[in-house]
Amino acid sequence: MNKPTVLYIIRHGKTMFNTIGRTQGWSDTPLTKEGEQVIQYLGQGLKTIDFKEAYSSDSGRAMQTARIILQQHEHGSEIPYATDSRIREWCFGSLDGGYDGELWGVVPRILAFKNYEDMMTNRISYKDLADAIIAADTADWAEPYEKIRERVWNGFEDIAHRTEKNGGGNVMIVSHGLTISFLLSLIDNTLPMQIGLENGSVTKLIYENGTFTIDTVNDTHYIEEGKKQAS
């Protein structure tokens, strides 16, 4: 009998750019010492979960996060691990690597809002956000909404479908804040934009017969469990 297919989707640990308030996107910086410590706690909290497979995006910060978690896991060396470029963060084009204030200063103005708070209060769509990023991008690198939607959905759905087909089980996936939030909106379009997912938080999805169900979002209790074990 098949087991349920459960995706444990983790936002990578805190990085240098996260710390100094720069937009990462497809640019990359390593985890800070604090970021590594939190992910070590997370790994301790997850170390007894029976993971069938593990994945991360191909960004260095996601791979570093996955490695730390697997090093803490009691069977980490036996869990197959692979990277998937489809589950990487959104590309912010010429805004990649700039300060967050630049991105969240220009995007609201393009969408005719006074500021970031005004924009978020009015609950813009992810398509609005993608279109505004393209409008602000002077390098012509940012991805159109349809391309982001296709790659993100196909990336996660392929992993889930393959796991279900092979008997189900738990899968660990390390991805990125906006990408995870966007995936949730594709499952349930009534959800607000959740850009503020915590580094190291776990968002759990259940997959059955081609359909995702959201179980938990932005769960940090595994980190707290790991802290207790370490003290």
Side-chain angles (χ1 to χ4, degrees), residues 104-105 108 113-122 193 195-196:
W104 299 120
F113 294 109
K114 288 182 288 187
N115 50 38
Y116 175 79
E117 290 73 22
D118 186 30
M119 180 182 75
M120 296 305 287
T121 301
N122 282 275
M193 196 175 284
I195 292 173

Side-chain angles (χ1 to χ4, degrees), residues 20-217:
I20 62 175
R22 284 186 179 266
T23 301
Q24 238 157 179
W26 283 12
S27 58
D28 206 17
T29 58
L31 272 58
T32 61
K33 290 233 181 302
E34 177 197 349
E36 288 182 356
Q37 181 66 76
V38 169
I39 298 304
Q40 284 170 356
Y41 289 143
L42 174 63
Q44 283 292 309
L46 293 171
K47 70 180 181 181
T48 60
I49 303 291
D50 182 18
F51 289 121
K52 191 170 188 177
E53 295 176 307
Y55 295 87
S56 77
S57 86
D58 59 347
S59 296
R61 59 194 185 272
M63 293 191 289
Q64 185 182 3
T65 298
R67 283 196 299 268
I68 293 170
I69 296 169
L70 291 174
Q71 284 165 3
Q72 303 294 317
H73 197 280
E74 58 185 24
H75 300 298
S77 62
E78 301 162 25
I79 299 170
Y81 164 66
T83 63
D84 193 323
S85 62
R86 295 173 297 178
I87 62 172
R88 64 166 65 160
E89 186 58 289
W90 284 32
C91 177
F92 298 103
S94 59
L95 297 168
D96 254 32
Y99 283 105
D100 291 341
E102 182 183 355
L103 172 67
W104 299 120
V106 69
V107 164
R109 290 200 301 273
I110 289 170
L111 296 172
F113 294 109
K114 288 182 288 187
N115 50 38
Y116 175 79
E117 290 73 22
D118 186 30
M119 180 182 75
M120 296 305 287
T121 301
N122 282 275
R123 290 191 61 171
I124 65 164
S125 71
Y126 286 90
K127 186 176 188 310
D128 291 336
L129 178 59
D131 289 349
I133 291 168
I134 285 178
D137 176 23
T138 59
D140 197 27
W141 293 337
E143 297 174 288
Y145 173 82
E146 291 74 17
K147 188 173 180 182
I148 302 170
R149 188 186 192 286
E150 180 181 13
R151 76 164 169 87
V152 170
W153 181 260
N154 287 347
F156 287 99
E157 210 271 342
D158 280 357
I159 292 170
H161 178 72
R162 192 162 56 244
T163 303
E164 183 181 56
K165 194 175 174 183
N166 291 329
N170 301 317
V171 185
M172 184 191 92
I173 304 176
V174 181
S175 186
H176 305 263
L178 184 54
T179 294
I180 298 167
S181 176
F182 178 52
L183 174 65
L184 294 175
S185 80
L186 297 177
I187 297 167
D188 181 354
N189 63 13
T190 68
L191 290 174
M193 196 175 284
Q194 301 178 61
I195 292 173
L197 294 176
E198 296 287 332
N199 292 104
S201 64
V202 178
T203 293
K204 198 184 296 185
L205 305 180
I206 300 164
Y207 182 83
E208 186 176 12
N209 299 324
T211 301
F212 283 111
T213 303
I214 299 168
D215 184 46
T216 55
V217 175

